[in-house]
Amino acid sequence: MTTITDVLRAKRLLAPYLPETPMWSYPVLDAVAGAEVCVKHENAQPTGAFKVRGGIVLLSRMTDRERGVVTASTGNHAQSLAYGARIFGAACTVVMPENPNPGKVAAVEALGARVVIAGESMVEAFEHARGLAEEHGFRLVSPGDEPDLLAGVGTLYLEILTRRPDLDAIFVPVGSGTGAAGASVVARALAPRCKVIAVQSAQAPAAHDSWQLGELVHRPMKTRIDGLATGSAFAIPQEVMRAGLDDFLLLDDDVIDQARRLMLTHAHTLAEGAGAAALAGVLARREEYAGKKVAVVCTGGNASPRELGM
Ligand SMILES: *Cc1c(COP(=O)(O)O)cnc(C)c1O
């Protein structure tokens, strides 16, 4: 099980590659939320999302990098792995399901990775990635069940709680659960009275339902919000979340979209849907957090054409 020691080591590994991201609060946003809201700007990462922390840590700790890596992803996980592979000179292959967003293909290819299009769903794309791993000897990287990804993304919570140990709560959006698991590890070690509250789309509740039931379940995946779109839960982050998470909210895509617009108008921040889900969580719990100090992680800014209004 990942511990604070793993996260502290990940922080040292990342230091030469990624500066600390900014965290600001915006009085006009605070007024709407009725709380002090610290926005952690992971949208300012070089790939536009927090996951790059995990990709760099995984590649830096890989002792047989000459094998190359392969994964399946439509978005930010792909860019994270491709970014890490580029730093360490490893070959990277990303399998995307059919009809991918051309902008996402271009972003991954621009980082020097190879994109293979196969399968109708993420599950099928991942099975294809498994086949490529067997055929070419690549290391198969799961988007969720990788302790190095969890420790890597955990470093962002180290940055938050080192600067603001007085926070009452941190709101974290969940897809696979690595981010919320990392937050749980860090908060339990450094700020035991700071609550960690996970947020997922009600249109894709696999991680929420698995956490609540205490077993891994599959759920329909109907959300239009990319970073939150997972149909099944991952064992490693679930185990960590079970021990460290205080609460888990399900919110409708429409409510998350409203929070995304609020990020734009009240925090001059372009968030993708998943990057605004944490703020949506605070607004959904307005009474409970009135007058309190909370952090929301703007996990990414890679907005889709729909989210950009184009
Ligand atoms: C992947 C992702 C999430 C969800 O993070 P997990 O660690 O998979 O739970 C949230 N926001 C963005 C922007 C993402 O790319």
Side-chain angles (χ1 to χ4, degrees), residues 153-215:
V153 301
T155 59
L156 92 88
Y157 299 94
L158 217 49
E159 291 174 14
I160 292 176
L161 285 169
T162 304
R163 285 229 269 150
R164 290 298 302 266
D166 59 327
L167 287 173
D168 295 299
I170 303 181
F171 286 74
V172 186
V174 171
S176 70
T178 60
S184 306
V185 168
V186 174
R188 294 297 71 95
L190 300 188
R193 55 165 290 283
C194 176
K195 292 201 165 130
V196 178
I197 299 167
V199 181
Q200 194 171 39
S201 165
Q203 280 75 51
H208 168 274
D209 290 3
S210 299
W211 179 77
Q212 207 165 55
L213 295 167
E215 59 178 304

Side-chain angles (χ1 to χ4, degrees), residues 45-272:
Q45 291 287 11
T47 55
F50 78 109
K51 286 196 180 73
V52 67
R53 297 171 182 265
I56 295 176
V57 169
L58 187 139
L59 266 297
S60 82
R61 281 176 43 76
M62 198 173 154
T63 50
D64 51 355
R65 285 196 284 262
E66 64 289 348
R67 290 171 66 189
V69 291
V70 64
T71 197
S73 165
T74 55
N76 292 332
H77 171 62
Q79 285 194 59
S80 155
L81 209 65
Y83 194 91
R86 190 180 66 163
I87 290 178
F88 294 99
C92 177
T93 305
V94 175
V95 184
M96 294 190 183
E98 283 152 26
N99 304 313
N101 176 334
K104 297 194 165 168
V105 176
V108 172
E109 287 180 339
L111 288 165
R114 186 167 74 108
V115 174
V116 173
I117 295 166
E120 283 180 9
S121 65
M122 274 303 297
V123 174
E124 287 178 21
F126 195 74
E127 283 316 305
H128 191 79
R130 190 190 303 281
L132 291 177
E134 279 161 16
E135 190 180 336
H136 300 285
F138 301 148
R139 158 121 151 58
L140 180 66
V141 179
S142 159
D145 280 328
E146 299 282 354
D148 286 336
L149 297 185
L150 204 159
V153 301
T155 59
L156 92 88
Y157 299 94
L158 217 49
E159 291 174 14
I160 292 176
L161 285 169
T162 304
R163 285 229 269 150
R164 290 298 302 266
D166 59 327
L167 287 173
D168 295 299
I170 303 181
F171 286 74
V172 186
V174 171
S176 70
T178 60
S184 306
V185 168
V186 174
R188 294 297 71 95
L190 300 188
R193 55 165 290 283
C194 176
K195 292 201 165 130
V196 178
I197 299 167
V199 181
Q200 194 171 39
S201 165
Q203 280 75 51
H208 168 274
D209 290 3
S210 299
W211 179 77
Q212 207 165 55
L213 295 167
E215 59 178 304
L216 302 182
V217 297
H218 303 274
R219 286 291 181 263
M221 190 188 74
K222 302 211 175 79
T223 179
R224 54 176 182 260
I225 298 176
D226 276 353
L228 308 183
T230 39
S232 46
F234 291 87
I236 293 176
Q238 281 289 332
E239 190 187 339
V240 177
M241 286 193 288
R242 207 159 294 142
L245 210 60
D246 294 285
D247 203 355
F248 205 142
L249 315 182
L250 285 179
L251 300 177
D252 281 326
D253 282 4
D254 289 344
V255 169
I256 297 173
D257 272 339
Q258 277 167 21
R260 180 171 50 76
R261 287 190 284 271
L262 201 62
M263 278 282 200
L264 205 50
T265 55
H266 288 56
H268 37 87
T269 295
L270 174 66
E272 60 184 284

Side-chain angles (χ1 to χ4, degrees), residues 288-301:
E288 196 177 336
Y289 288 95
K292 302 233 162 109
K293 302 180 256 284
V294 301
V296 299
V297 186
C298 178
T299 45

Side-chain angles (χ1 to χ4, degrees), residues 15-34:
Y17 306 106
L18 297 177
E20 188 163 318
T21 53
M23 184 161 74
W24 300 113
S25 58
Y26 303 90
V28 68
L29 181 63
D30 291 355
V32 172

